[in-house]
Amino acid sequence: GSTKNRTPNLDRMAEEGMKLTSFYAAPVCSASRAQLMTGCYAQRVSVPGVFFPAGKNGLNPAEHTVADYLKEAGYDTTCIGKWHLGDQRQFLPTNNGFDHYFGIPYSNDMGRRSADGRKVHPLVRDEEVELIADEQQRRVTREYTEEAVKFIGEHAAKDAAPFFLYLPHTAMHVPLFPHQDFVGKSHNGTYGDWVEEVDWSVGQILDVLRRLELDRKTLVLFTSDNGPWASRGKDGGVAGPLRGSKGCTLEGGVREPSIAWWPGTVPAGSVCGAIAGTTDVLPTFVSLAGARLRKDVKIDGVDLNQLLHGKRDTSHREAWYYYN
């Protein structure tokens, strides 16, 4: 519905799938990602806010992530992009259920100064690190996308294992670094340029699924981690008609534009206003994989299968809890 940002691939994804108009995350990066990974409110898994580089804390490796469940169910698992659940070895994706990881492990404004005074960021492949300068961030959206397309391509054979791809883009976090091919191409400044590159990335993912005839066997969920960073002005994005922004639990801080796409299963052109959110990803994916949740772990999320199949249009929950 944006009048400033052109997103033809996301628009097509919505036309072919379901818009989830009351899909909630948390007000900041790490908390949202913890909820998505564990199916729990962030406070329950001791992630109260944002993790910073070289810190002693991160997502407890003892937590059972959605990747852990799916790996146990025979899935190949990979994480590509911004992790932000701890950057020390024990907290990395490869120690939390993922076979492989490629990306910048935290927000792209958290780089450190190198000996020559440059601001640098770790681009991690599994546990090997390449340091890149600020301007080299223009590579990352394209490299993430290429890595994702390659991973999907490896699963085209009939006897290939099922796969779980978690692709949390570094975009649209400030500072903004769209690839040179997209600079100046939008009608909404640098922010719009990077939006269009992320939309291009979505198109690449959906196209390879169609080309390899994996689309009818693959659920794709597009969402975000928190609302716009209002204090950054034009670079921070807008929440449209919603009040509030990143850092608060008003609608503008936690209600995320979300789309579910699965041709032949998710009804095309549908809209669902039932309350759902990142905590529901784990129980929904585990259910789809034919696995079962552990009985010794309290899960706050619910299985959204009936919603996604168009068999229900009301929420499974009577209340949604926020923690300050």
Side-chain angles (χ1 to χ4, degrees):
S2 175
T3 58
K4 292 184 176 182
N5 298 302
R6 296 180 299 195
T7 55
N9 293 297
L10 285 168
D11 292 346
R12 180 180 175 183
M13 186 180 180
E15 290 167 2
E16 296 176 353
M18 177 184 288
K19 286 196 291 187
L20 300 164
T21 58
S22 296
F23 197 87
Y24 290 84
V28 290
C29 311
S30 298
S32 276
R33 293 152 201 272
Q35 291 185 173
L36 191 151
M37 280 291 107
T38 67
C40 298
Y41 290 119
Q43 291 281 27
R44 188 183 296 284
V45 292
S46 301
V47 184
V50 177
F51 293 126
F52 288 88
K56 295 181 180 180
N57 296 321
L59 181 66
N60 188 340
E63 295 294 344
H64 216 63
T65 68
V66 59
D68 284 318
Y69 276 108
L70 295 180
K71 188 172 180 178
E72 290 166 0
Y75 280 63
D76 289 341
T77 58
T78 199
C79 174
I80 302 169
K82 174 184 170 182
W83 174 242
H84 214 169
L85 288 171
D87 67 332
Q88 300 305 295
R89 188 182 301 270
Q90 67 269 30
F91 303 130
L92 290 176
T94 45
N95 285 310
N96 278 284
F98 290 98
D99 298 318
H100 297 288
Y101 173 57
F102 176 67
I104 298 174
Y106 41 71
S107 294
N108 66 331
D109 62 339
M110 293 182 173
R112 295 298 182 92
R113 293 291 173 186
S114 64
D116 58 5
R118 295 182 306 152
K119 193 172 186 179
V120 294
H121 309 265
L123 184 60
V124 180
R125 182 176 293 279
D126 294 334
E127 296 182 6
E128 298 296 319
V129 177
E130 174 192 358
L131 292 178
I132 63 171
D134 252 2
E135 274 294 317
Q136 290 177 289
Q137 287 192 51
R138 297 193 187 278
R139 308 166 29 184
V140 298
T141 304
R142 178 158 298 186
E143 291 189 8
Y144 291 170
T145 306
E146 291 171 348
E147 196 83 10
V149 168
K150 178 183 175 184
F151 174 73
I152 294 170
E154 293 169 351
H155 294 81
K158 289 185 179 180
D159 59 348
F163 66 89
F164 172 51
L165 167 64
Y166 175 46
L167 175 57
H169 276 291
T170 293
M172 299 292 303
H173 204 280
V174 180
L176 306 176
F177 285 106
H179 190 277
Q180 200 60 45
D181 289 352
F182 291 87
V183 172
K185 299 297 176 65
S186 77
H187 301 308
N188 193 29
T190 306
Y191 186 90
D193 295 345
W194 218 6
V195 167
E196 292 196 8
E197 186 178 7
V198 170
D199 182 73
W200 163 84
S201 176
V202 170
Q204 295 293 301
I205 300 297
L206 301 186
D207 284 349
V208 71
L209 290 171
R210 295 185 188 102
R211 186 171 70 251
L212 298 177
E213 299 182 350
L214 295 172
D215 51 334
R216 290 184 171 265
K217 297 194 291 184
T218 308
L219 168 64
V220 182
L221 176 66
F222 180 92
T223 188
S224 188
D225 60 350
N226 49 249
W229 202 349
S231 64
R232 296 305 181 102
K234 291 192 302 181
D235 287 350
V238 295
L242 305 179
R243 188 162 65 102
S245 58
K246 174 177 179 173
C248 74
T249 52
L250 292 169
E251 295 279 277
V254 292
R255 185 170 165 183
E256 304 306 324
S258 305
I259 306 169
W261 181 89
W262 187 358
T265 299
V266 172
S270 55
V271 179
C272 181
I275 289 178
T278 48
T279 54
D280 302 329
V281 170
L282 182 146
T284 301
F285 286 13
V286 169
S287 172
L288 287 171
R292 292 187 178 183
L293 298 175
R294 288 173 50 168
K295 294 182 179 180
D296 60 329
V297 178
K298 169 64 178 176
I299 297 293
D300 297 302
V302 298
D303 182 355
L304 300 180
N305 266 293
Q306 286 190 323
L307 289 179
L308 296 178
H309 284 75
K311 296 178 180 179
R312 181 185 180 122
D313 60 4
T314 56
S315 179
H316 291 270
R317 46 171 62 83
E318 295 179 357
W320 190 273
Y321 298 97
Y322 290 101
Y323 295 93
N324 185 351

